[in-house]
Amino acid sequence: MKQTPIFVTPVLDSTQSKVNTELLEQSVERYGEGKHLEAFHLLLDHLNPGFRAKYGNADGTEFSIPHGSILVNIRIADGRMLISADFLEIPEKGRVAMLRQVADLNINRLMLPRFRKEGDLLKMEYECTMAQSHPHKLYFVLRNICHVGDRYDDEFCSKFGARRSYEPRITPYPAEETDRICEAVRQICRETIDAVTEYGSERRYGYAWNVLDTALYKIAYVAHPQGQLMNELEKAVDDMDKELPVAELVAKGKAYLEKLLAAPREELARDLYFVDTLISTKRRSSLNNVQENMKDVYREATEAIQAENYERSAVRILYKFYEMYFYNDVQDDLNALVSRALERSAGKPMEEASEILYEALDNIMEGELDADDDEGGDALAGLSEAMAGAAEQMQQLASSMESQVAEMQTKMQEAMMRGDMAEYMRLATEFQQKMMEQAMGKQE
């Protein structure tokens, strides 16, 4: 692979979490004071500040909140709280097989909530007194219902022919956006399959595994799919981490992308829509957590660049950046920094792309997330201009210095051309010291 893959502008501008941790702390305080209803209201505001007014009644005792393709109903009355979500209508064909899997979910996936059967309708429910409605417990109850319901309803409809008992509240992408995303998914599949084929012919299966997993993350980043398409992407990601020979994992990943590439537009478009979510399946990012997760690849990329293995550096950083989006709701300042680097490095030779990506990674590790972007220009060019300006000033000040200082100036210029800022600053400091020594000598 001689150059980096394409960059596609994602369907979502912001990936930042709506969670407000301060409100959760206030919710716990109100619960401790015995103000249980107020504590629950603050818990909802902690999850999404607009949901309480948008999906609740006037006195805040009944809510019908969409999460993906399910609807979470909450009713508070007579000192008790009932949380429920209609799941699916059980089909006639495949009935027993589906109920077996529902029983498995009851045991292995649901914690406090439980599936309950009413005729042919399956529901998830949890009930408790308001005195037992601690915000931390309710958070995990709601999360459990949301994640199990939204994940398995699409799967059971596809696998067993189950029927929904409600119409999900969704907003499909505009037609032009759907066309753009569908073509982008196909292009990601094509270029990844080509790269994997090339790496496979060279038996470089480690590289092939990296670009395959990166492609899966990238499709999720670009398309932000819902429904069964997202379920299949998650399963494909899980499959890439199984305890199997790398060549076999690569073959499975490549086969999935080939299947996705062959899927008709209508099949892809079916799961491309906007929808409200009560509790995200992703973690809320923080700089500390991201730095901790990136430290190994930072060391690996540094060593690779020192060894002039720019391909390894670029491939590994791309993998970690897209992985970050797959598992995290990324805050806006970090998103701006990384997405800019992804866009600027796309389609570039490996050495140039590696430099751009490494600069962004270095900014993350140094906690410098507010790096300015010059109207889509090159941040490195701006750095070079600043360094050139500083060198020019130094040259004017040093016009009368001796030959050894002139030699140092040459070394500074060479460091500047290499982009070696650390060496440049070291030489600049030494340069200034010599200037001061010369000035003091003249005064004497």
Side-chain angles (χ1 to χ4, degrees), residues 301-320:
T302 302
E303 293 172 353
I305 290 173
Q306 290 172 347
E308 298 185 356
N309 190 344
Y310 303 109
E311 183 177 17
R312 180 181 179 187
S313 169
V315 167
R316 291 294 291 145
I317 296 175
L318 283 170
Y319 171 85
K320 291 302 289 186

Side-chain angles (χ1 to χ4, degrees), residues 308-359:
E308 298 185 356
N309 190 344
Y310 303 109
E311 183 177 17
R312 180 181 179 187
S313 169
V315 167
R316 291 294 291 145
I317 296 175
L318 283 170
Y319 171 85
K320 291 302 289 186
F321 279 173
Y322 281 113
E323 180 194 51
M324 175 185 69
Y325 284 109
F326 191 78
Y327 291 109
N328 296 273
D329 291 317
V330 180
Q331 67 248 41
D332 286 339
D333 53 359
L334 179 57
N335 175 43
L337 175 68
V338 173
S339 63
R340 186 165 60 241
L342 291 172
E343 183 173 10
R344 289 176 50 235
S345 65
K348 296 284 198 305
M350 286 297 177
E351 182 174 354
E352 185 179 351
S354 173
E355 185 177 7
I356 295 169
L357 293 166
Y358 185 82
E359 181 186 20

Side-chain angles (χ1 to χ4, degrees), residues 183-317:
E183 179 53 35
V185 169
R186 293 192 180 101
Q187 190 171 356
I188 292 168
C189 290
R190 283 193 293 265
E191 68 175 5
T192 305
I193 291 168
D194 289 344
V196 168
T197 301
E198 177 186 334
Y199 283 134
S201 66
E202 299 168 355
R203 303 185 67 82
R204 300 169 73 190
Y205 296 117
Y207 279 90
W209 184 93
N210 272 271
V211 298
L212 269 169
D213 225 14
T214 301
L216 299 174
Y217 295 148
K218 186 175 181 178
I219 290 168
Y221 166 77
V222 169
H224 192 65
Q226 308 293 328
Q228 189 61 10
L229 176 54
M230 190 61 202
N231 289 346
E232 290 173 356
L233 277 172
E234 290 176 345
K235 183 179 184 302
V237 168
D238 290 342
D239 285 347
M240 293 296 288
D241 287 327
K242 288 186 175 177
E243 294 291 332
L244 294 171
V246 178
E248 188 173 338
L249 295 177
V250 167
K252 287 172 67 70
K254 183 180 178 184
Y256 172 72
L257 290 187
E258 289 170 341
K259 175 186 173 184
L260 192 58
L261 178 60
R265 178 195 179 281
E266 294 73 20
E267 184 177 330
L268 293 176
R270 183 179 59 215
D271 293 323
L272 300 179
Y273 53 83
F274 299 108
V275 66
D276 279 336
T277 55
L278 178 58
I279 298 180
S280 175
T281 56
K282 300 181 181 182
R283 297 184 292 264
R284 175 176 172 269
S285 72
S286 72
L287 180 58
N288 287 340
N289 287 343
V290 171
Q291 288 172 330
E292 180 66 23
N293 188 257
M294 295 280 183
K295 66 180 183 181
D296 288 342
V297 80
Y298 183 51
R299 181 176 61 253
E300 183 180 347
T302 302
E303 293 172 353
I305 290 173
Q306 290 172 347
E308 298 185 356
N309 190 344
Y310 303 109
E311 183 177 17
R312 180 181 179 187
S313 169
V315 167
R316 291 294 291 145
I317 296 175

